[in-house]
Amino acid sequence: MLPDQIVPKVGLSAKAGGRVLHVLVPVCLGLANPQAFAQEETPEDKGLRLAQEASARNDGFGDFTAAMTMVLRDRHGRESIRQMRFKVLEVPEDGDKSLFVFDQPRDVQGTALLTHAHVNAQDDQWLYLPALKRVKRISASTRSGSFMGSEFSYEDMSSPVVEEYTYKYLYDEPCGELTCTVTEQVPLARESGYSRKVTWQDRGELRAWKVELYDRRGFHLKTLSFSGYERYLDRYWRAAEQTMVNHLTGASTVLKWTDFRFNTDLSETEFTQTALRRVR
């Protein structure tokens, strides 16, 4: 698998994010010597530019839905499986709105997580618990907690926003048959559960293949790997599988994505706290 073939270099540091990816990059039109600009580009400028390019390639999808299977494995290999539905609504000039709804097993059926991602502001998240028939707001201080017992945190389940991080280009290296650019992302939010993230993206399509996540003390806590990419609408790449491994506990969680459907005419009313209570 491609992520397993990546061997990160040792001794490079900074901070970052894996949700992956601030300041606009100058546009050089009619520059007499393009190489002069490239030589002046700092690692921070390059890291930011790559993040903006990756984000721009995903703009304009409108909305999409998907089905997801969550496989939780403990350090002994024992598994538990959950089935979910997922939908996303793109919000121009702001972060996306997303909704996870659990369908199986019965003890979590109807549980739903609603996220409103924001640019230059703290994301909003609410969890609906059908057994209690109440909507619980996820506070900024608890977003680093486990999402429904998985190795993904609530923070991991929010759509990435470029402005939430600072960036630094580290190096390029082979990753399987591709060449990957390795960048460091540092969360700006003090409440983030991560001190930094290091991301491997292929240079051609800027798809993320691996993200190393470091806790607030600087220890390598988790690694997120992506595989099985497919392109939709001749533009949007989506991974069929995401695997989060917790190096502290030895546990892992695999998200298996299927049935991607774009332009499904989702509306704002489907992404409200009121709608959470009506989720079926």
Side-chain angles (χ1 to χ4, degrees), residues 30-39:
L31 188 63
N33 183 6
Q35 293 183 347
F37 174 74
Q39 292 172 354

PDB file of all heavy atoms in Angstrom, residues 30-39:
ATOM      1  N   GLY A  30       3.555  37.665 -16.194  1.00  0.00           N
ATOM      2  CA  GLY A  30       4.512  38.380 -17.021  1.00  0.00           C
ATOM      3  C   GLY A  30       5.857  38.541 -16.364  1.00  0.00           C
ATOM      4  O   GLY A  30       6.605  39.450 -16.696  1.00  0.00           O
ATOM      5  N   LEU A  31       6.204  37.696 -15.418  1.00  0.00           N
ATOM      6  CA  LEU A  31       7.489  37.800 -14.748  1.00  0.00           C
ATOM      7  C   LEU A  31       8.594  37.413 -15.726  1.00  0.00           C
ATOM      8  O   LEU A  31       8.556  36.345 -16.338  1.00  0.00           O
ATOM      9  CB  LEU A  31       7.519  36.862 -13.532  1.00  0.00           C
ATOM     10  CG  LEU A  31       8.710  36.980 -12.593  1.00  0.00           C
ATOM     11  CD1 LEU A  31       8.737  38.363 -11.955  1.00  0.00           C
ATOM     12  CD2 LEU A  31       8.634  35.901 -11.521  1.00  0.00           C
ATOM     13  N   ALA A  32       9.595  38.255 -15.862  1.00  0.00           N
ATOM     14  CA  ALA A  32      10.642  38.009 -16.845  1.00  0.00           C
ATOM     15  C   ALA A  32      11.431  36.742 -16.527  1.00  0.00           C
ATOM     16  O   ALA A  32      11.826  36.005 -17.416  1.00  0.00           O
ATOM     17  CB  ALA A  32      11.576  39.218 -16.917  1.00  0.00           C
ATOM     18  N   ASN A  33      11.657  36.499 -15.251  1.00  0.00           N
ATOM     19  CA  ASN A  33      12.431  35.330 -14.846  1.00  0.00           C
ATOM     20  C   ASN A  33      11.672  34.552 -13.789  1.00  0.00           C
ATOM     21  O   ASN A  33      11.806  34.819 -12.591  1.00  0.00           O
ATOM     22  CB  ASN A  33      13.801  35.766 -14.314  1.00  0.00           C
ATOM     23  CG  ASN A  33      14.672  34.565 -13.949  1.00  0.00           C
ATOM     24  OD1 ASN A  33      14.300  33.421 -14.203  1.00  0.00           O
ATOM     25  ND2 ASN A  33      15.837  34.837 -13.353  1.00  0.00           N
ATOM     26  N   PRO A  34      10.854  33.569 -14.191  1.00  0.00           N
ATOM     27  CA  PRO A  34      10.046  32.814 -13.237  1.00  0.00           C
ATOM     28  C   PRO A  34      10.890  32.139 -12.171  1.00  0.00           C
ATOM     29  O   PRO A  34      10.463  31.945 -11.049  1.00  0.00           O
ATOM     30  CB  PRO A  34       9.322  31.785 -14.115  1.00  0.00           C
ATOM     31  CG  PRO A  34       9.345  32.366 -15.486  1.00  0.00           C
ATOM     32  CD  PRO A  34      10.630  33.128 -15.574  1.00  0.00           C
ATOM     33  N   GLN A  35      12.139  31.752 -12.504  1.00  0.00           N
ATOM     34  CA  GLN A  35      12.972  31.072 -11.523  1.00  0.00           C
ATOM     35  C   GLN A  35      13.337  31.972 -10.361  1.00  0.00           C
ATOM     36  O   GLN A  35      13.542  31.513  -9.241  1.00  0.00           O
ATOM     37  CB  GLN A  35      14.239  30.558 -12.196  1.00  0.00           C
ATOM     38  CG  GLN A  35      13.982  29.435 -13.209  1.00  0.00           C
ATOM     39  CD  GLN A  35      15.266  28.900 -13.800  1.00  0.00           C
ATOM     40  OE1 GLN A  35      16.327  29.518 -13.651  1.00  0.00           O
ATOM     41  NE2 GLN A  35      15.170  27.778 -14.485  1.00  0.00           N
ATOM     42  N   ALA A  36      13.373  33.274 -10.621  1.00  0.00           N
ATOM     43  CA  ALA A  36      13.709  34.209  -9.545  1.00  0.00           C
ATOM     44  C   ALA A  36      12.665  34.169  -8.450  1.00  0.00           C
ATOM     45  O   ALA A  36      12.981  34.202  -7.260  1.00  0.00           O
ATOM     46  CB  ALA A  36      13.831  35.635 -10.108  1.00  0.00           C
ATOM     47  N   PHE A  37      11.386  34.058  -8.859  1.00  0.00           N
ATOM     48  CA  PHE A  37      10.304  33.979  -7.859  1.00  0.00           C
ATOM     49  C   PHE A  37      10.397  32.681  -7.073  1.00  0.00           C
ATOM     50  O   PHE A  37      10.238  32.656  -5.857  1.00  0.00           O
ATOM     51  CB  PHE A  37       8.947  34.076  -8.544  1.00  0.00           C
ATOM     52  CG  PHE A  37       7.797  33.863  -7.602  1.00  0.00           C
ATOM     53  CD1 PHE A  37       7.433  34.836  -6.693  1.00  0.00           C
ATOM     54  CD2 PHE A  37       7.093  32.671  -7.620  1.00  0.00           C
ATOM     55  CE1 PHE A  37       6.381  34.628  -5.810  1.00  0.00           C
ATOM     56  CE2 PHE A  37       6.042  32.459  -6.743  1.00  0.00           C
ATOM     57  CZ  PHE A  37       5.685  33.447  -5.846  1.00  0.00           C
ATOM     58  N   ALA A  38      10.666  31.570  -7.800  1.00  0.00           N
ATOM     59  CA  ALA A  38      10.757  30.272  -7.136  1.00  0.00           C
ATOM     60  C   ALA A  38      11.860  30.274  -6.096  1.00  0.00           C
ATOM     61  O   ALA A  38      11.727  29.693  -5.027  1.00  0.00           O
ATOM     62  CB  ALA A  38      10.991  29.186  -8.178  1.00  0.00           C
ATOM     63  N   GLN A  39      12.988  30.942  -6.404  1.00  0.00           N
ATOM     64  CA  GLN A  39      14.104  30.979  -5.474  1.00  0.00           C
ATOM     65  C   GLN A  39      13.772  31.800  -4.240  1.00  0.00           C
ATOM     66  O   GLN A  39      14.313  31.561  -3.164  1.00  0.00           O
ATOM     67  CB  GLN A  39      15.332  31.549  -6.178  1.00  0.00           C
ATOM     68  CG  GLN A  39      15.878  30.619  -7.273  1.00  0.00           C
ATOM     69  CD  GLN A  39      16.974  31.274  -8.086  1.00  0.00           C
ATOM     70  OE1 GLN A  39      17.263  32.457  -7.923  1.00  0.00           O
ATOM     71  NE2 GLN A  39      17.573  30.514  -8.987  1.00  0.00           N
TER      72      GLN A  39
END
